Amino acid sequence: MSALLEARGLSAGYGQAHVLHGVDLTIEPGQVVVVLGANGAGKTTLMRSLAGLLPYDGELRVDGETVGAVRPDQMVARGVSLVPQGRGTLTALSVTDNLRTGAVGRRDASGVQEDIDRWFTTFPRLAERRHQVAGTLSGGEQQMLAIARALMSRPRLLLCDEISLGLAPVIVQGLFETIRGINEEMGTALLLVEQNAALAMGIASYVYLLEVGRVVQSGAAESFAQSDSIRRVYLGY
Amino acid sequence: MTTVQSPTPTPTPERPARPAARSGPRVVVRGSGAHRAAQAVVLVLLAAVVIWGGSLDPFGQGQLTRAAIFALAIMGLNFTTGYVGLLSVGHSAFLGLGAYTTGILVVNYNQTAISTIPWAMLVCFLVGLLVGIPALRIRGLYLAMVTLALGVAFPEVVARLDGLTGGAEGMTIRRTLLRPPDWSGFTLGEKDAWLYWLTIVLLVVTFVVVRNVISSRYGLAMHAVRQDEVAASASGINVAAIKLVSFGVSGAITGLAGSLFAMYIGSLFAEGSFTVLAGITLLIGLVLGGERTLAGPIIGGLAVVLIPYYTSGIGQGQASAVLFAVVLIAVIFLAPEGVAGGVARLARRWVVVVDKRPESIGRGR
Amino acid sequence: MDIFLTRLISGMTAGSVYAMIALALVVVFRSSATINFAQGEFALFTTYVSWWLTQHGWNIWLTLVPALGLGFVMCAVAERFLIRPVRKRDETAVLIVALALFTGLNGLAGWIWGSDDKVYPRLVPIGDDSFLALGGARLYYDSIFVVLSLVLVVGALSLVLNKTGLGLQMRAVATNPESASLCGIKVGRIFMISWGLAGVIGSLAAAILVPVLPPGQLGLPGMFHMLIFGTVAALLGGLDSVKGAVVGGLSLGVGLAMINGYGSFFGGSISLTVALVVIVVVLGLKPNGLFGSRRLERV
Ligand SMILES: Nc1ncnc2c1ncn2[C@@H]1O[C@H](COP(=O)(O)OP(=O)(O)O)[C@@H](O)[C@H]1O
Ligand SMILES: [Mg+2]
């Protein structure tokens, strides 16, 4: 059986600024993978390329099928959904409209309504603010909304770019429990980019370490956590 | 701007840092004998064209004068829209302001035509500074709107000030008032030839001045402001001053063209030659010829005068507008740097000119 | 008082037209973040088509179907094949293409139909007594018709934007095209449809305004000033706001009617100069207009 998503020799950048230099990465269905790396290592660039926001060189395969040049909506249609860094909620739209927008590719109106209700149950704070304009939500609420919105397309792979950024630890803890639950219940694979490495490695089974646009180390999460250098630099103990 | 990235795989092949590194084109060192010779040939050719123009029949010569005047006007536009990136749709107002300054001084104040040129430039320089003020805060689309409004309002203001300008009825500068100065050696009957040579001389002088400014430190600063204002101001460039002064200079050059235009056309009226459509024409000429090139405005001036003339017989005189649109879109898609830039790019396949000292930087583009 | 009412009515009529054109500009701006300077000329062209069909015996109302359809197709095609390819380059390139379309469409209309003015029939024929007397002022039926058309257009547009799936996508794209694409929206398709819709609104506005506003005939230069006023109205209201376009259009219409009416001792009209002042003041003091939400420059 082929991997859910597979990148081979992925390179990307912004005009003359080359950021990624031949990244290899594999995600199996249902797997939780984390990408660690210092600021500016190219994590966001990687996520944006995988989501179809940035043109890339190299090969990208979904379900073993090469995708070539691809737009974000086409990646969503293939089951890959991104929670971008900085959340990317639709600030002028209401919470409910944000969720409905997340499901534009779907044709099953009743299923969409079920999912909206479901995420309102998961995130009661969103339910309370369902008619509020997203731009007026707190940071934590916006992040919940961004995750719920990305899940509205029923992705098989959820890409999360630093969902803990700028949030209080207790909220981050809650978010991670939620996405772990989603992974376990729905079998949604997760690709997490995190500064908070300890938290991410707690739920990940596989880890990539990115340095200046290259994968310098990768392996199963348990063996990774043993490595002294990793512990010192990324786990802080 | 937030745009959705194109799905085309990028990394554009990096251009070699120094064209000389390529094996194909022939390399000519700037200032070498071969380079000098080539420059001399071009100069001789240009001089031949100018002299040929001087011997043309009055109508043909008039068309060339007109083209040279528009080339000057576009040169002014290039100064701010091209080099500093401040888009102006309403430069027709400067053309008109220069023309009316000359007209009013000649008709109402008995000045000789040629003596009004500095005044026309001064007035346009000051108004240019004024128009530059909004440009300190806004750019792109919004600046286009301000300048559009300027271009649209100008004829209305002229019509309003009818005591001075003759308003909608217009003002006529009698031919005798446009007598060439005695020292020129031209007689009143040779007024058109005199204007032709006057325009050519002023065009050449302006060309040389612009060329020197662009390759000076001031030119580098203009370039930096266009590329990235924040970075420019971080490196000690006074962005506000650059924008204001370049708008003023731009206005002055286009005003010079306006002054000559008044002498050329001899009659001025509000809804005549200075509506915003003229401003759009100038912009079209600039883009066609090539923004940020020295030759671009000259090509643009020829285009905006000659294309309408040669197509006036087709499609009830409307063909030129359609042709302009088609050519303009073709240029935008195929040669975004305009005809001058496109030709230069093609030429670089065969010949490249390099500086003698490799470390010298910031040559005008 | 009568004269005040008369001016108010003529201001509302003109203002409704400005508002409709502003709406077309707003619909484009909400998707592409640019002003379609050729919007007026697209409308001019379709109005010529409508006129040409009436010359072949068509009922004026019936000609609106192909005219508005053509407005949709022309604008959508222009967006897809002329505007979108240069969007990534810079704002100037987009403006230049729009100006090229402006010049080209005007010339094409003149080429096909000649540059003499045409008598374009009124959608609502009026006679000498087709008015309501309002305390001495006359409220002609076609003024009522113009205002009603605006109400209808605004109603339909609000319905589309707020009650349909397409509208949801349009609102999402207006908020943030990138986030919208991450939701699975085909952003390019929304751009095209928005331009098409703007084309329909513009064409309708032109068909309504030509017989009503001076000079009352269909001519090549006719739409340009309308575009300026529409632009000012849209800017005043905030460029991305439907409500703003309406308020901006009506205030501009009424304001100009009053200034030109009571300010006639200046001699002649100064509408465009007023428009210039409004543009500069709005951009200087309140760049987002009265109801706009978009920042002056999108990051
Ligand atoms: N829009 C951009 N244009 C140019 N360079 C960029 C852009 N975004 C990011 N970069 C550069 O790319 C590199 C990687 O950035 P990013 O992928 O955001 O890193 P990370 O997410 O790991 O912090 C950085 O050096 C950054 O400066
Ligand atoms: Mg990042």
Side-chain angles (χ1 to χ4, degrees):
Chain A
M1 192 181 146
S2 52
L4 173 51
L5 182 121
E6 200 177 356
R8 289 284 162 263
L10 196 78
S11 299
Y14 310 88
Q16 299 291 344
H18 302 281
V19 175
L20 293 183
H21 311 277
V23 170
D24 293 340
L25 179 128
T26 308
I27 301 158
E28 302 293 341
Q31 199 183 15
V32 180
V33 175
V34 58
V35 175
L36 301 178
N39 261 334
K43 306 181 296 295
T44 297
T45 308
L46 173 65
M47 296 294 252
R48 290 172 67 84
S49 310
L50 295 180
L53 280 172
L54 267 186
Y56 60 85
D57 267 356
E59 195 174 10
L60 187 59
R61 266 175 261 160
V62 178
D63 302 321
E65 200 182 312
T66 305
V67 295
V70 69
R71 294 190 313 260
D73 60 277
Q74 293 167 326
M75 283 311 275
V76 172
R78 285 174 184 270
V80 179
S81 196
L82 170 69
V83 181
Q85 186 174 338
R87 294 158 200 152
T89 45
L90 297 161
T91 47
L93 269 56
S94 72
V95 168
T96 311
D97 279 349
N98 264 274
L99 295 182
R100 288 171 58 214
T101 308
V104 287
R106 290 171 58 178
R107 290 283 160 266
D108 54 327
S110 60
V112 170
Q113 192 51 51
E114 267 169 38
D115 279 10
I116 292 181
D117 294 340
R118 167 183 194 151
W119 301 124
F120 278 159
T121 316
T122 310
F123 300 110
R125 290 170 66 172
L126 293 184
E128 289 163 26
R129 293 162 174 78
R130 64 179 75 202
H131 299 302
Q132 207 168 311
V133 169
T136 62
L137 299 182
S138 75
E141 289 158 359
Q142 291 214 21
Q143 194 68 75
M144 292 172 199
L145 180 59
I147 294 170
R149 193 214 65 202
L151 287 165
M152 283 302 296
S153 64
R154 296 226 170 142
R156 290 174 302 139
L157 169 61
L158 186 68
L159 310 171
C160 297
D161 195 349
E162 304 217 26
I163 51 174
S164 64
L165 203 69
L167 299 182
V170 53
I171 292 180
V172 174
Q173 195 73 45
L175 285 178
F176 269 83
E177 269 161 30
T178 307
I179 59 172
R180 170 189 220 149
I182 289 162
N183 168 254
E184 281 168 3
E185 279 171 45
M186 307 173 64
T188 311
L190 302 174
L191 177 61
L192 308 174
V193 158
E194 264 309 321
Q195 295 278 324
N196 193 333
L199 202 55
M201 285 178 64
I203 66 171
S205 64
Y206 205 86
V207 180
Y208 290 87
L209 182 57
L210 204 61
E211 270 175 23
V212 273
R214 290 191 171 81
V215 174
V216 292
Q217 207 177 333
S218 65
E222 310 84 60
S223 63
F224 226 77
Q226 306 304 316
S227 150
D228 274 352
S229 57
I230 299 293
R231 284 170 61 161
R232 240 190 353 267
V233 179
Y234 293 98
L235 300 177
Y237 56 82
Chain B
M1 267 198 354
T2 40
T3 53
V4 179
Q5 297 289 334
S6 80
T8 43
T10 21
T12 40
E14 254 181 78
R15 277 204 289 150
R18 190 154 303 284
R22 287 194 296 186
S23 58
R26 189 189 177 101
V27 177
V28 176
V29 176
R30 189 174 300 275
S32 69
H35 185 233
R36 286 265 159 80
Q39 280 181 324
V41 169
V42 170
L43 278 180
V44 167
L45 279 178
L46 284 178
V49 169
V50 166
I51 293 167
W52 166 77
S55 67
L56 271 180
D57 62 293
F59 180 78
Q61 195 178 59
Q63 289 295 83
L64 274 189
T65 308
R66 199 183 173 99
I69 291 173
F70 272 91
L72 256 178
I74 296 171
M75 224 175 252
L77 181 63
N78 194 22
F79 203 79
T80 179
T81 295
Y83 292 107
V84 195
L86 304 175
L87 185 61
S88 169
V89 189
H91 253 54
S92 48
F94 293 110
L95 194 67
L97 200 59
Y100 271 100
T101 307
T102 288
I104 290 167
L105 287 178
V106 167
V107 172
N108 298 357
Y109 297 93
N110 289 321
Q111 302 296 307
T112 59
I114 192 165
S115 72
T116 65
I117 290 179
W119 292 109
M121 292 181 73
L122 180 67
V123 169
C124 289
F125 177 76
L126 294 177
V127 173
L129 290 185
L130 214 63
V131 179
I133 292 174
L136 296 180
R137 286 190 58 190
I138 56 180
R139 277 187 299 191
L141 175 65
Y142 298 89
L143 187 58
M145 284 166 62
V146 171
T147 54
L148 178 84
L150 174 76
V152 169
F154 179 78
E156 215 176 59
V157 174
V158 167
R160 170 56 42 88
L161 300 172
D162 47 6
L164 205 55
T165 62
E169 262 85 89
M171 95 190 315
T172 303
I173 311 174
R174 271 181 292 117
R175 196 175 164 81
T176 49
L177 294 176
L178 294 172
R179 170 194 303 276
D182 294 336
W183 53 260
S184 68
F186 285 89
T187 64
L188 181 57
E190 296 165 332
K191 176 233 152 196
D192 293 339
W194 152 247
L195 191 59
Y196 172 78
W197 287 108
L198 178 66
T199 306
I200 294 291
V201 167
L202 289 173
L203 181 67
V204 169
V205 169
T206 311
F207 183 95
V208 171
V209 170
V210 168
R211 179 170 172 273
N212 288 340
V213 170
I214 291 311
S215 51
S216 73
R217 286 186 41 188
Y218 184 81
L220 283 183
M222 289 164 67
H223 181 69
V225 170
R226 183 178 62 83
Q227 295 258 305
D228 185 343
E229 277 181 35
V230 179
S233 96
S235 57
I237 292 170
N238 186 341
V239 173
I242 293 284
K243 283 182 165 184
L244 283 181
V245 173
S246 61
F247 231 111
V249 171
S250 166
I253 298 175
T254 303
L256 164 64
S259 176
L260 292 168
F261 190 75
M263 303 177 206
Y264 169 81
I265 199 98
S267 76
L268 309 171
F269 58 103
E271 286 294 329
S273 310
F274 314 114
T275 62
V276 75
L277 296 180
I280 293 176
T281 304
L282 294 180
L283 192 58
I284 289 177
L286 176 60
V287 175
L288 261 183
E291 285 181 271
R292 290 183 292 286
T293 62
L294 287 165
I298 295 173
I299 296 171
L302 286 168
V304 299
V305 171
L306 297 185
I307 290 182
Y309 171 65
Y310 283 111
T311 56
S312 59
I314 314 170
Q316 320 192 31
Q318 301 289 341
S320 71
V322 179
L323 191 64
F324 265 128
V326 173
V327 173
L328 194 57
I329 286 173
V331 162
I332 290 268
F333 276 76
L334 304 178
E337 56 303 56
V339 172
V343 168
R345 180 159 47 102
L346 277 183
R348 273 195 295 276
R349 286 198 194 162
W350 314 108
V351 183
V352 289
V353 178
V354 297
D355 284 344
K356 205 192 271 164
R357 289 182 305 132
E359 62 272 17
S360 75
I361 46 149
R363 244 181 305 133
R365 302 209 305 161
Chain C
M1 188 62 197
D2 298 349
I3 202 154
F4 173 79
L5 266 182
T6 304
R7 277 173 196 153
L8 187 66
I9 290 168
S10 82
M12 293 285 284
T13 311
S16 300
V17 169
Y18 302 158
M20 262 189 269
I21 295 168
L23 279 177
L25 296 175
V26 162
V27 170
V28 162
F29 188 85
R30 283 170 57 97
S31 71
S32 307
T34 190
I35 293 211
N36 179 8
F37 280 114
Q39 195 77 62
E41 304 312 302
F42 279 110
L44 182 80
F45 193 88
T46 61
T47 312
Y48 268 96
V49 169
S50 158
W51 168 82
W52 177 76
L53 289 173
T54 62
Q55 296 305 101
H56 288 70
W58 286 48
N59 175 290
I60 175 74
W61 283 90
L62 203 58
T63 65
L64 290 186
V65 178
L68 301 196
L70 183 66
F72 186 95
V73 173
M74 280 169 68
C75 286
V77 167
E79 192 286 323
R80 175 64 188 84
F81 294 104
L82 298 178
I83 301 290
R84 204 184 309 167
V86 299
R87 277 194 80 217
K88 268 168 274 129
R89 207 181 304 155
D90 60 19
E91 239 177 354
T92 312
V94 174
L95 284 174
I96 301 285
V97 172
L99 290 178
L101 286 170
F102 170 93
T103 314
L105 285 169
N106 194 290
L108 196 60
W111 191 338
I112 299 176
W113 292 291
S115 52
D116 51 323
D117 287 356
K118 320 284 184 216
V119 179
Y120 186 74
R122 285 169 185 264
L123 285 158
V124 180
I126 58 163
D128 287 339
D129 52 355
S130 317
F131 61 83
L132 300 175
L134 266 187
R138 291 177 170 189
L139 178 55
Y140 277 94
Y141 292 161
D142 60 355
S143 287
I144 301 179
F145 169 69
V146 172
V147 177
L148 276 183
S149 307
L150 173 66
V151 172
L152 212 73
V153 169
V154 171
L157 188 61
S158 306
L159 213 64
V160 168
L161 282 177
N162 295 314
K163 299 286 178 219
T164 67
L166 173 67
L168 181 65
Q169 297 189 35
M170 288 174 68
R171 282 185 293 137
V173 170
T175 308
N176 185 336
E178 185 175 294
S179 297
S181 75
L182 286 174
C183 292
I185 292 175
K186 295 182 175 68
V187 173
R189 204 174 131 251
I190 299 299
F191 283 177
M192 254 178 96
I193 294 176
S194 298
W195 277 66
L197 224 76
V200 171
I201 298 173
S203 303
L204 181 64
I208 291 172
L209 79 87
V210 165
V212 176
L213 294 188
Q217 289 189 324
L218 182 59
L220 290 179
M223 287 307 291
F224 184 59
H225 287 180
M226 291 298 129
L227 179 82
I228 303 276
F229 290 132
T231 308
V232 174
L235 186 67
L236 188 60
L239 279 179
D240 63 350
S241 159
V242 170
K243 184 169 50 167
V246 175
V247 175
L250 292 179
S251 343
L252 186 70
V254 172
L256 287 179
M258 297 300 165
I259 290 173
N260 281 331
Y262 291 104
S264 53
F265 55 87
F266 291 119
S269 157
I270 50 161
S271 304
L272 292 166
T273 313
V274 172
L276 165 74
V277 172
V278 172
I279 288 186
V280 172
V281 168
V282 170
L283 285 176
L285 298 182
K286 206 165 183 317
N288 279 336
L290 297 173
F291 301 102
S293 59
R294 189 97 61 156
R295 293 195 15 188
L296 196 57
E297 278 186 48
R298 300 209 292 172
V299 196

